[in-house]
């Protein structure tokens, strides 16, 4: 099996001798948050947690991307929370990039190691700890679950990427695949989280233009990404944040694989009034 790599920020602070110029950008259609911006000075902490800090890389913004928030959480040994989620309407997706965490839900403990994923339904009674001697890091994607007639909220599950086979996109000769954590046939899910993989030379051969909002965190490799009218170089540790209908495409020139963790909102009517 091909070895997997998950880039994880460690913070720190640049020296006074470093140039100010960087690749960070925020436009009406997209934002690029490079790995070099994830420094100690821009971390946040949450009440009710111990031994944690986080980088907030997406949050709902009126007129931009409005459906989700995304954090990169760094958790020290023994750190965690008995009340991690304070919004009863929020569902969560967790993806571990370094170390391990123990997620307890309804009194049952589940250990997530690197590559581990968990879906946490809205209203769940859960807690999270780092039981190991090393620092852990994970992505936490949050979205308000949107109900629909005849559907109940999705059920809790955990899985590790290494136990899943990617679905190869047709006509790509194995160069473009998606590892799907949610079952696309299960319409109770109104968000999908996947890992997208491009082999060297792989491409999205058209400018995707669609209603889904995206968060794309680069786990491995580098590529040039088409965002609106711009071609932007991105690499492991960078985050791309796309509002609805932002044209997008990709060319992975190599030398290694290009992989990213992807969020998108799916499977629901478009709200005509604000969600409550």
């Amino acid at each position: 099996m091909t070895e997997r790599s998950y880039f994880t920020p460690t913070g720190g602070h640049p020296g006074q001798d470093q140039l100010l110029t960087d690749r960070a950008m925020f436009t009406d259609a997209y934002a690029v948050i490079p790995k070099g911006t994830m420094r100690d000075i821009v971390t946040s902490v949450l009440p009710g947690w111990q031994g944690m800090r986080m980088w907030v890389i997406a949050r709902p913004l009126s007129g931009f991307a409005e459906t989700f928030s995304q954090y990169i959480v760094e958790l020290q040994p023994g750190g965690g929370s008995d009340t991690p989620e304070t919004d009863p309407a929020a569902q969560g997706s967790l993806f571990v990039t370094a170390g391990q965490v123990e997620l307890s839900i309804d009194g049952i403990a589940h250990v997530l190691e690197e590559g581990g994923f968990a879906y946490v339904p809205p209203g769940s009674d859960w807690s999270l700890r780092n039981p190991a001697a090393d620092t852990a890091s994970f992505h936490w994607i949050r979205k308000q679950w949107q109900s629909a007639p005849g559907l109940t909220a999705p059920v809790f599950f955990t899985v590790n990427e290494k136990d899943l086979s990617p679905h190869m996109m047709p006509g790509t000769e194995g160069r473009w695949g998606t590892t799907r954590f949610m079952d696309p046939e299960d319409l109770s899910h109104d968000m999908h989280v996947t890992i997208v993989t491009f082999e060297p030379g792989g491409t999205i051969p058209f400018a995707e233009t669609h209603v889904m909002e995206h968060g794309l965190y680069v786990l491995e490799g580098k590529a040039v990404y088409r965002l609106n009218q711009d071609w932007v170089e991105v690499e492991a540790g960078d985050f791309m944040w796309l509002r609805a209908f932002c044209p997008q495409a990709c060319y992975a020139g190599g030398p290694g694989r290009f992989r990213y963790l992807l969020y998108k909102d799916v499977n629901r009517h478009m709200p005509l009034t604000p969600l409550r």
Side-chain angles (χ1 to χ4, degrees):
M1 182 176 292
T2 303
E3 184 178 355
R4 293 168 173 82
S5 175
Y6 307 110
F7 186 93
T8 302
T10 56
H13 199 70
Q16 292 288 293
D17 58 343
Q18 299 298 302
L19 293 177
L20 173 63
T21 305
D22 201 302
R23 296 175 294 113
M25 61 184 76
F26 188 88
T27 74
D28 290 341
Y30 69 89
V32 176
I33 304 175
K35 65 180 183 181
T37 67
M38 297 181 197
R39 304 292 187 172
D40 295 348
I41 197 172
V42 295
T43 57
S44 299
V45 295
L46 290 176
W49 285 76
Q50 300 82 42
M52 76 87 75
R53 65 175 183 172
M54 66 182 188
W55 289 272
V56 178
I57 55 177
R59 55 156 294 176
L61 288 178
S62 179
F64 192 69
E66 301 177 330
T67 62
F68 76 109
S69 68
Q70 186 164 346
Y71 312 147
I72 302 174
V73 180
E74 183 182 271
L75 200 56
Q76 297 301 313
S81 176
D82 292 328
T83 54
E85 180 56 74
T86 57
D87 184 348
Q91 58 188 325
S93 289
L94 310 178
F95 180 73
V96 179
T97 62
Q100 64 177 237
V101 298
E102 183 178 271
L103 186 160
S104 294
I105 183 165
D106 297 328
I108 300 175
H110 306 264
V111 175
L112 303 177
E113 299 180 337
E114 291 183 16
F117 176 88
Y119 172 78
V120 182
S124 295
D125 179 13
W126 63 290
S127 62
L128 193 74
R129 294 285 168 188
N130 176 2
D134 298 319
T135 300
S137 185
F138 63 93
H139 285 253
W140 183 5
I141 301 171
R142 301 168 64 243
K143 180 185 183 297
Q144 180 179 339
W145 186 70
Q146 187 177 346
S147 62
L151 295 177
T152 57
V155 299
F156 167 80
F157 70 90
T158 67
V159 70
N160 194 291
E161 186 207 358
K162 71 177 185 293
D163 298 322
L164 299 174
S165 297
H167 293 73
M168 306 315 296
M169 301 294 285
T172 63
E173 300 174 337
R175 296 191 182 100
W176 174 13
T178 59
T179 302
R180 302 169 180 176
F181 292 119
M182 284 79 168
D183 178 0
E185 302 300 319
D186 184 353
L187 297 186
S188 66
H189 286 288
D190 64 354
M191 72 168 170
H192 283 174
V193 179
T194 63
I195 292 179
V196 180
T197 300
F198 290 94
E199 299 297 334
T203 182
I204 298 176
F206 69 105
E208 293 187 30
T209 308
H210 52 64
V211 71
M212 285 88 79
E213 297 177 346
H214 277 339
L216 300 90
Y217 178 82
V218 182
L219 297 168
E220 181 180 350
K222 65 185 182 71
V224 286
Y225 223 92
R226 164 82 179 270
L227 299 169
N228 202 9
Q229 300 302 308
D230 306 317
W231 283 97
V232 178
E233 285 189 293
V234 292
E235 64 177 347
D238 293 348
F239 181 70
M240 292 171 279
W241 186 13
L242 282 60
R243 68 181 297 180
F245 301 108
C246 175
Q248 59 198 268
C250 173
Y251 173 66
R257 296 182 307 172
F258 175 64
R259 308 176 72 231
Y260 55 80
L261 184 71
L262 171 70
Y263 158 88
K264 61 181 176 181
D265 52 311
V266 294
N267 298 340
R268 291 297 185 269
H269 271 301
M270 301 300 102
L272 302 180
T273 57
L275 292 175
R276 292 181 174 83

